[in-house]
């Protein structure tokens, strides 16, 4: 069985992430979506909430598992018996960050390869931050995120709004 890990913050998952995940699932026997608990980003959703939102979308797809993890991504991949990391690339602007991440990961775990899938053009400008920003300002985001994520964002910002 060839297993790959698709790591990210997923705060929250977008249709762009979902597209990369679906395409990766066609290439591997199993994909573990790895929701990072501990990185440099201040998140809107807790790790458990981010995991639940992804699970709601992939529910019933036997090739896809969703887990949270702490610590280095490559150590998580090793523990899961995976030798491939999947990342999506949207534009040249992603390249430098992804190159640095891939090189650091290669240094820590030479046996693990990072494979990049190009985002579809229709998702090339979608990011979790832009979605959160638009949602907070009550913009329409239904083309960019699954319905469950849209609902969760609406609920989060409703609770945060001054009463
Ligand atoms: N479609 C839509 N959006 C996409 C996308 C796609 N195909 N690909 C990337 N993005 C966007 C996301 O929306 C997100 O936007 P944001 O910055 O506005 O939030 C951004 O690109 C990347 O987010 P995400 O895909 O969730 O990943 P990340 O870059 O936050 O995740 C980890 C990085 C978790 C892989 C990395 O921090 C990590 O490995 N952390 C664990 C610790 C570790 O091992 N560090 C490395 C040691 S040097």
């Amino acid at each position: 069985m060839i297993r790959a890990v698709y790591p990210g913050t997923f705060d929250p998952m977008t249709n762009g992430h979902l597209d990369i995940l679906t395409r990766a699932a066609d290439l591997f026997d199993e994909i573990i979506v790895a929701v990072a608990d501990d990185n440099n980003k201040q998140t809107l959703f807790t790790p458990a909430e981010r995991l639940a939102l992804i699970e709601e979308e992939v529910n019933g797809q036997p090739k896809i598992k969703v887990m949270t993890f702490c610590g280095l991504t490559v150590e998580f991949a090793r523990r899961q018996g995976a030798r491939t990391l999947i990342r999506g690339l949207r534009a040249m602007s992603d390249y430098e960050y992804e190159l640095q991440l891939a090189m650091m990961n290669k240094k820590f775990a030479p046996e693990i390869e990072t494979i990049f899938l190009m985002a579809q053009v229709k998702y090339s400008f979608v990011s979790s931050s832009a979605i959160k920003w638009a949602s907070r300002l009550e913009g329409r985001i239904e083309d960019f995120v699954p319905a469950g994520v849209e609902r969760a964002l609406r609920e989060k910002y409703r609770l945060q709004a001054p009463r």
Side-chain angles (χ1 to χ4, degrees):
M1 154 157 335
I2 304 189
R3 181 178 289 141
V5 166
Y6 179 30
T9 309
F10 304 113
D11 185 49
M13 168 177 253
T14 66
N15 287 342
H17 290 126
L18 211 47
D19 172 56
I20 298 288
L21 174 59
T22 309
R23 287 160 53 204
D26 281 342
L27 301 173
F28 293 90
D29 299 315
E30 186 176 273
I31 304 282
I32 301 174
V33 183
V35 179
D37 189 347
D38 176 23
N39 62 20
N40 291 328
K41 288 186 176 173
Q42 177 135 32
T43 58
L44 177 66
F45 293 99
T46 66
E49 288 171 331
R50 285 179 270 142
L51 177 135
L53 288 171
I54 300 170
E55 269 186 340
E56 192 180 325
E57 267 325 289
V58 302
N59 191 15
Q61 296 186 51
K63 288 175 102 179
I64 302 176
K65 276 170 52 176
V66 191
M67 301 172 75
T68 56
F69 75 100
C70 289
L72 290 176
T73 299
V74 288
E75 291 300 340
F76 172 79
R78 276 176 172 156
R79 287 197 299 276
Q80 301 306 318
R83 292 184 54 187
T84 308
L85 301 180
I86 305 287
R87 292 287 288 166
L89 274 183
R90 290 164 299 174
M92 278 306 286
S93 48
D94 283 343
Y95 179 78
E96 263 185 59
Y97 170 67
E98 292 297 337
L99 179 70
Q100 186 187 30
L101 204 56
M103 292 295 132
M104 289 291 281
N105 285 337
K106 195 78 190 154
K107 179 79 186 153
F108 290 138
E111 80 282 13
I112 294 182
E113 292 293 347
T114 304
I115 291 185
F116 296 97
L117 297 183
M118 303 306 296
Q120 289 189 56
V121 172
K122 64 180 173 181
Y123 300 127
S124 59
F125 57 92
V126 176
S127 76
S128 301
S129 311
I131 297 296
K132 283 181 279 191
W133 190 10
S135 174
R136 185 164 54 81
L137 300 176
E138 299 181 7
R140 296 184 58 176
I141 55 166
E142 70 265 21
D143 289 345
F144 309 123
V145 289
V149 169
E150 188 191 1
R151 262 196 315 276
L153 280 166
R154 223 183 301 122
E155 182 65 8
K156 257 301 172 207
Y157 289 123
R158 191 181 62 77
L159 291 175
Q160 283 185 0
R163 285 154 201 267

